[in-house]
Amino acid sequence: MADTAEQTTYKRVLLKISGEALMGDQGYGLHPPTVERIAQEVKSVSDLGVEICMVIGGGNIFRGLVGSAQGMERTTADYMGMLATVMNALAMQSALEGLGVYTRVISAITMNEVAEPYIRRRAVRHLEKKRVCIFAAGTGNPYFTTDTAATLRANEMACEAIFMGKNGVDGVYDCDPKTNPDAKRYDSVTFDEVLGKNLKVMDASAIALARDNRKPIIVFSLDEPGGFLGILAGKGTYTKVHD
């Protein structure tokens, strides 16, 4: 297995997906066949011997900023969003373990009955044992997005890259390709360009954290079967955000 991992571009990565990626064609909640399909993608990469950790958003269940905009106190709304990420992480864990992939859900908010607490050295050991680690509940603090949590955990786990799985978009564009057919896709773009041009990759705090720690971000489409595996093998369509 280790020999196979040497054939891939990266040996330890973090996969960040939105909660909306788990909805499928529904407008809300979890779509089990979609969760299963993404789990298959993760398994195909894990089978190569690549060490994988994941961060999943909670926007398919509850988004803190939306709740805050509707009059809810921001801190409370953000904690509710964090709990939504735990639900998504448990769903993904169930799907992965159904495929025979050993998985751990590690929560930044203590809830020992359903998830392990976040202890960095323990999480690293899980990765070394080829277990998929799903980091839930964001950073454990309000006012920070799951994008920032993903970049933070990628740095703490010494991941070689952050993979951003997008819905319906196969990279970074100069404007929204869903509304503008003339949108230009970048093959490669710098962190400073992302911040300067306000390109929609991650929020500014997450991009700055990745830049300061020289952590490349690979933006690709989750809709392409085998896309995650292909990019690790140096194939496929994607945008690399780098120094």
Side-chain angles (χ1 to χ4, degrees):
M1 185 176 289
D3 292 340
T4 308
E6 290 174 4
Q7 300 171 16
T8 63
T9 310
Y10 303 103
K11 297 179 179 63
R12 179 181 293 175
V13 301
L14 184 140
L15 174 63
K16 166 65 170 68
I17 62 176
S18 67
E20 287 87 347
L22 307 182
M23 293 192 310
D25 294 330
Q26 302 174 157
Y28 176 84
L30 290 159
H31 183 238
T34 299
V35 177
E36 173 87 8
R37 179 181 62 78
I38 295 173
Q40 288 278 7
E41 295 277 323
V42 174
K43 180 182 186 300
S44 69
V45 173
S46 179
D47 286 347
L48 285 181
V50 176
E51 298 169 6
I52 306 170
C53 39
M54 298 180 67
V55 170
I56 307 173
N60 57 319
I61 298 170
F62 188 87
R63 187 178 293 279
L65 275 174
V66 174
S68 177
Q70 295 174 349
M72 187 175 293
E73 196 269 325
R74 173 66 188 272
T75 301
T76 299
D78 280 354
Y79 277 120
M80 291 173 67
M82 291 180 220
L83 296 177
T85 71
V86 177
M87 296 172 68
N88 285 337
L90 292 173
M92 183 58 65
Q93 179 187 42
S94 178
L96 285 166
E97 293 195 332
L99 297 172
V101 180
Y102 292 109
T103 309
R104 296 290 184 273
V105 172
I106 301 173
S107 173
I109 297 175
T110 303
M111 45 183 76
N112 293 329
E113 288 77 10
V114 297
E116 291 186 10
Y118 177 71
I119 300 172
R120 188 184 66 83
R121 288 179 178 269
R122 182 186 292 178
V124 169
R125 186 65 180 138
H126 286 321
L127 291 173
E128 291 171 347
K129 291 182 176 180
K130 308 304 181 187
R131 297 166 181 159
V132 173
C133 291
I134 307 176
F135 296 113
T139 66
N141 301 287
Y143 296 95
F144 289 94
T145 66
T146 51
D147 284 348
T148 302
T151 309
L152 174 65
R153 298 297 184 231
N155 284 311
E156 290 178 306
M157 295 298 105
C159 293
E160 295 167 323
I162 300 167
F163 280 70
M164 287 283 295
K166 297 285 190 177
N167 296 83
V169 181
D170 58 359
V172 179
Y173 286 77
D174 59 355
C175 56
D176 189 350
K178 296 177 182 177
T179 58
N180 185 351
D182 296 323
K184 172 192 171 186
R185 187 180 65 81
Y186 296 95
D187 289 326
S188 177
V189 65
T190 67
F191 292 116
D192 288 338
E193 286 177 308
V194 169
L195 291 171
K197 297 178 181 179
N198 194 28
L199 302 176
K200 303 300 182 183
V201 179
M202 288 179 159
D203 65 72
S205 297
I207 291 292
L209 184 58
R211 178 192 61 190
D212 293 347
N213 291 276
R214 307 186 72 180
K215 196 71 62 181
I217 302 170
I218 310 297
V219 184
F220 71 104
S221 173
L222 271 177
D223 302 327
E224 183 69 28
F228 186 25
L229 177 64
I231 292 167
L232 278 161
K235 304 173 185 176
T237 302
Y238 59 91
T239 299
K240 182 175 183 178
V241 185
H242 57 91
D243 288 338

